[in-house]
Amino acid sequence: MTKPLLEFGRDTCGDLGEATRREWLETNGLGGFSSSTIAGLHTRRYHGLLMAATHPPVGRDLLLSKLEETFVVDGRRYELSANQYPGVVHPQGYRFLKSFRLDPFPVFTYEVEGIEIVKTVFMLHGENTTVIQYEFRRGETGDDSSLTPRPSSLLFELRPMIAFRDYHSTTHENDAINSEVATEEGLVTLKPYDEMPALHLAHDAGEVVRGGCWYRNFEYAIERERGLDFHEDLFSPCVLKFDVSNHAEINVIASTERRDAKRAAEYRAAEIERREGVAAGSPSDDEFVRALVAAADSYIVGRGERKTVIAGYHWFGDWGRDTMIALPGLTLVTGRADVAKSILLEFARHVDQGMLPNRFPEAGETPEYNTVDATLWYFNAVHAFLKLTNDYEFVREHLYDVLSDIVGWHERGTRYRIHADADGLLFAGEPGVQLTWMDAKIGDWVVTPRTGKAVEIQALWYNALRVMELLGRAFGRAEDEQKFREMAERAQRGFNEQFWNEELGCLYDLVDGDMRDASIRPNQIIAASLPHLMLSEERARRVVGVVERELLTPFGLRSLARGDAAYRGRYEGDGRSRDSVYHQGTVWAWLMGPFISAYVRAHGRSEESRRQAAAWLAPLGEHLSVAGLNHISEIFDGDEPHAPRGCAAQAWSVSEVLRAAVEDVYGSERSAVSG
């Protein structure tokens, strides 16, 4: 038997504070998910057993919040659930939780009167379907198949708690709900509201007891911290009753499809096989790398017939910027070049006026194009694809004309005054918009506007031009090759003339006319990490040194140096408070990727530099056992102890750390991947 990915014993599971700091996540390849804490106590409005993506990869609705579980031994009732109500946690089923493990699914082992109840939760790939299985066995003997010797009566009750609402909302008691429960052999169907899909509960219960009622005032601690609505009422339409005196296993399948509970074992075997196939794509036997390869699969989802990337769980959709930054780590490092192709094709379809969309709205089909860097990261993703696959024919046939058109629009000028200036550099921005990845906006206030020539935008623009020069040469287009080479050389000259800050030994963050922003921010590390370097080796080393000294933490790079008057070290409070410090000192884990790449390259890819990089990655390895289990959080506080914040599972955090770990630290034997 393979070693569980993660495992916690009674000391952690029985400590409510520790148990609620750890969140498990199951995903379905559509944008839907199932998630909670290992205590079974929801701390977010985004926690639930079935969050269905009704318009993949968005349109997410929480249908089934949870199953309240009661084990009845000779009439003695034991509640295994846990809920936070005002001033009290009830019931406190986590006290019976003996262990939790990811193996590869979330597996909870409770123990009551010497009997173990082992619960497994997993989602089916490509369906809005969550399978919940329970196995009952004697704890003392370790007998997997028999309850003998056993009490005279063993009953198990499951009370579905439904929400049926958009995942950003909360449900409150109302008279509009349709409480009807439609039953047939092995199936309960619920459709509380006409505008939402039906929920089918396939089961092998002996009895279904109708009788709906509301449970009021569930509290979600993290939503309270975020200054959002943190109360919810949930409706329970029925109770499923099982006699487990002679049955060692029971199954419930929650789905928007009609399913058969008798096939639960078959579904489980198929999903294990699929995930083993994903794990086989790991380019290294290192446990940290293997865990991140498994995590990477969670972010790759369908958009129509092709693929895209969910930026983070629990609340992000697919964003152009995040997708292009994440693509190399999620798809190429993991041996999934076919997925990379699909993503590149899908986003090429949405290019408009030379721009990739920044995001696809949750409702409606019109993308938003308010980004300058998503499009430029697209070139980097194409370059990474070519480096690994050497599939120039695919790029020639499907992407070259799109890429050429993008450069043309940037030369002439496109939205938001994005255009190539006379010095060859790229200008972007106008009042009231935020175009770079530092995109926090509160009402009309753009917190970090960065209008002008931002440092990482110039690095990305230069790399895009060098990629086009490479493609022009590969495709025998001499005029294109010469044109893009000359544009790149002009941009490189302009960059070194205007962006080098000799006093501080690093790069300005922004140039706008005569204005030079000397804030020490991590954006400059992009200029030292991309494949085509604009800087001399000596200058690149100095940039890395300043970033290491001023911004490096155990979990990523601060977004602003601590010595800056605008620095804020804690990301907390309501939405305005959090957004105002989002890029003013908050640590971003994804930036550890470019930092590691820049550091190792600046030190000649020596064994010593690789060992140092491995040491810097070690705290992120430890982080996999807190917050989003086996994932990496979006952000961390700038101040010690760098508490994890934001999304518990972030695509570019996982992908960039994985990419750097494989490419720059542990190495990979993979040289090419077929499509």
Side-chain angles (χ1 to χ4, degrees):
M1 180 176 292
T2 58
K3 176 183 176 183
L5 295 176
L6 277 178
E7 187 165 16
F8 303 98
R10 198 183 293 275
D11 286 350
T12 299
C13 296
D15 183 325
L16 191 60
E18 289 298 312
T20 54
R21 288 178 58 220
R22 293 166 168 85
E23 300 175 62
W24 57 268
L25 173 69
E26 280 285 296
T27 62
N28 67 355
L30 297 176
F33 58 89
S34 179
S35 182
S36 188
T37 67
I38 68 173
L41 186 150
H42 293 351
T43 59
R44 303 182 187 269
R45 60 186 175 183
Y46 303 98
H47 283 157
L49 279 175
L50 180 56
M51 188 75 76
T54 58
H55 301 286
V58 292
R60 286 170 281 195
D61 294 324
L62 179 60
L63 303 184
L64 178 61
S65 179
K66 63 190 314 182
L67 296 173
E68 293 288 274
E69 303 147 331
T70 305
F71 190 35
V72 187
V73 183
D74 284 342
R76 296 180 293 277
R77 300 177 65 85
Y78 297 92
E79 306 287 343
L80 304 185
S81 301
N83 303 301
Q84 178 70 62
Y85 295 104
V88 65
V89 173
H90 177 80
Q92 298 184 3
Y94 64 91
R95 297 183 182 275
F96 300 108
L97 188 57
K98 183 178 180 180
S99 69
F100 171 91
R101 69 183 191 273
L102 290 179
D103 194 19
F105 319 124
V107 180
F108 308 76
T109 301
Y110 298 88
E111 187 171 30
V112 175
E113 292 197 19
I115 299 170
E116 288 186 344
I117 305 106
V118 182
K119 177 175 72 172
T120 303
V121 179
F122 64 94
M123 296 196 82
L124 299 188
H125 196 74
E127 290 189 15
N128 288 310
T129 299
T130 303
V131 180
I132 308 100
Q133 297 181 292
Y134 297 87
E135 180 184 0
F136 301 83
R137 60 195 184 198
R138 295 296 300 182
E140 305 96 324
T141 64
D143 187 339
D144 288 343
S145 61
S146 175
L147 294 175
T148 306
R150 57 178 180 261
S152 60
S153 173
L154 291 177
L155 304 175
F156 199 64
E157 299 176 359
L158 292 175
R159 179 180 292 275
M161 309 293 284
I162 62 172
F164 275 79
R165 43 87 169 170
D166 176 81
Y167 75 143
H168 290 310
S169 306
T170 51
T171 294
H172 297 282
E173 183 175 0
N174 62 84
D175 295 329
I177 192 168
N178 176 5
S179 61
E180 181 181 349
V181 178
T183 63
E184 55 190 280
E185 183 67 27
L187 192 70
V188 169
T189 298
L190 311 168
K191 191 168 175 54
Y193 306 102
D194 290 339
E195 66 275 13
M196 304 195 78
L199 171 64
H200 303 283
L201 297 175
H203 63 85
D204 45 23
E207 183 183 6
V208 177
V209 180
R210 293 177 174 84
C213 60
W214 285 95
Y215 284 67
R216 305 179 185 90
N217 284 329
F218 292 87
E219 289 190 348
Y220 304 137
I222 293 179
E223 305 308 321
R224 188 210 302 258
E225 293 173 6
R226 299 171 70 213
L228 301 172
D229 181 10
F230 62 93
H231 286 105
E232 178 156 53
D233 305 329
L234 297 173
F235 186 75
S236 177
C238 61
V239 179
L240 306 179
K241 293 193 173 185
F242 306 79
D243 185 344
V244 296
S245 301
N246 298 303
H247 296 277
E249 295 181 0
I250 62 174
N251 304 284
V252 174
I253 302 176
S255 180
T256 55
E257 310 291 333
R258 294 169 63 91
R259 290 290 168 253
D260 184 352
K262 295 184 179 66
R263 298 184 63 190
E266 173 190 336
Y267 295 146
R268 179 172 181 158
E271 187 59 20
I272 288 175
E273 182 179 3
R274 189 194 71 82
R275 297 192 194 197
E276 287 176 345
V278 170
S282 177
S284 170
D285 288 332
D286 179 81
E287 288 187 12
F288 181 50
V289 170
R290 289 179 64 84
L292 293 183
V293 168
D297 183 57
S298 300
Y299 304 98
I300 298 170
V301 301
R303 172 172 280 282
E305 296 181 354
R306 297 201 178 103
K307 299 295 184 182
T308 186
V309 170
I310 289 292
Y313 295 97
H314 299 85
W315 52 78
F316 283 138
D318 52 337
W319 292 62
R321 174 189 299 118
D322 299 62
T323 298
M324 294 308 137
I325 291 174
L327 184 148
L330 296 186
T331 67
L332 301 176
V333 168
T334 60
R336 305 176 74 175
D338 56 334
V339 175
K341 280 185 176 181
S342 181
I343 294 171
L344 292 172
L345 286 171
E346 176 63 16
F347 275 83
R349 191 169 70 89
H350 294 284
V351 170
D352 183 80
Q353 297 183 39
M355 297 176 69
L356 253 68
N358 188 33
R359 66 182 289 266
F360 296 93
E362 293 286 338
E365 295 300 322
T366 303
E368 297 176 2
Y369 288 87
N370 56 330
T371 170
V372 61
D373 51 348
T375 311
L376 302 177
W377 280 110
Y378 187 72
F379 287 82
N380 188 65
V382 171
H383 182 268
F385 172 81
L386 286 172
K387 182 179 177 182
L388 195 65
T389 67
N390 208 35
D391 192 352
Y392 281 83
E393 181 57 27
F394 167 76
V395 175
R396 185 196 65 77
E397 181 178 354
H398 297 286
L399 304 182
Y400 185 77
D401 289 343
V402 174
L403 297 172
S404 296
D405 186 59
I406 288 172
V407 174
W409 273 100
H410 282 65
E411 282 186 275
R412 298 188 301 272
T414 184
R415 298 177 178 90
Y416 307 115
R417 295 195 295 166
I418 298 172
H419 67 275
D421 220 338
D423 55 9
L425 300 178
L426 205 63
F427 180 97
E430 59 186 34
V433 296
Q434 68 283 31
L435 300 179
T436 73
W437 78 277
M438 290 188 162
D439 58 357
K441 185 178 181 181
I442 305 170
D444 294 331
W445 174 35
V446 178
V447 182
T448 50
R450 305 184 74 223
T451 296
K453 299 170 184 176
V455 62
E456 79 279 15
I457 302 306
Q458 311 317 312
L460 288 163
W461 172 238
Y462 174 76
N463 269 261
L465 295 172
R466 288 300 190 190
V467 169
M468 293 306 295
E469 176 192 359
L470 168 69
L471 294 178
R473 181 164 60 253
F475 300 150
R477 303 192 182 199
E479 290 185 5
D480 286 0
E481 178 187 1
Q482 180 179 352
K483 172 189 173 181
F484 295 128
R485 180 174 63 250
E486 291 175 353
M487 291 177 68
E489 290 171 349
R490 187 182 313 119
Q492 185 174 23
R493 286 194 301 272
F495 183 81
N496 280 279
E497 290 170 0
Q498 299 181 56
F499 275 85
W500 185 250
N501 182 344
E502 182 61 36
E503 181 181 356
L504 297 181
C506 62
L507 295 167
Y508 291 110
D509 187 64
L510 183 75
V511 171
D512 186 12
D514 294 331
M515 188 278 291
R516 302 288 187 272
D517 183 355
S519 303
I520 304 298
R521 293 188 180 274
N523 304 302
Q524 60 187 304
I525 203 65
I526 305 299
S529 66
L530 289 172
H532 300 284
L533 198 62
M534 301 176 78
L535 299 168
S536 67
E537 293 183 0
E538 188 270 336
R539 283 186 171 182
R541 279 194 298 272
R542 293 178 70 182
V543 166
V544 170
V546 169
V547 170
E548 178 186 349
R549 183 181 71 244
E550 299 292 338
L551 303 175
L552 181 63
T553 76
F555 302 107
L557 301 184
R558 292 184 177 91
S559 45
L560 186 64
R562 285 178 293 183
D564 196 293
Y567 172 81
R568 299 293 181 272
R570 294 181 66 83
Y571 180 86
E572 57 190 5
D574 61 16
R576 182 179 180 86
S577 298
R578 286 179 285 110
D579 287 346
S580 68
V581 304
Y582 205 30
H583 301 103
Q584 299 295 79
T586 298
V587 171
W588 289 79
W590 80 271
L591 292 168
M592 187 65 90
F595 174 76
I596 292 292
S597 295
Y599 178 86
V600 171
R601 179 162 70 178
H603 291 82
R605 300 193 176 278
S606 65
E607 287 301 314
E608 182 180 353
S609 68
R610 291 176 185 269
R611 283 195 297 271
Q612 176 60 78
W616 280 328
L617 289 177
L620 285 167
E622 296 173 3
H623 172 68
L624 297 184
S625 64
V626 297
L629 298 179
N630 268 359
H631 290 266
I632 299 178
S633 297
E634 176 190 10
I635 53 177
F636 299 78
D637 282 344
D639 289 346
E640 292 80 0
H642 307 297
R645 307 287 189 181
C647 280
Q650 190 79 358
W652 62 9
S653 298
V654 168
S655 63
E656 270 300 282
V657 171
L658 173 58
R659 181 200 58 77
V662 171
E663 293 182 355
D664 302 304
V665 181
Y666 301 110
S668 170
E669 296 180 359
R670 179 179 289 118
S671 57
V673 181
S674 66

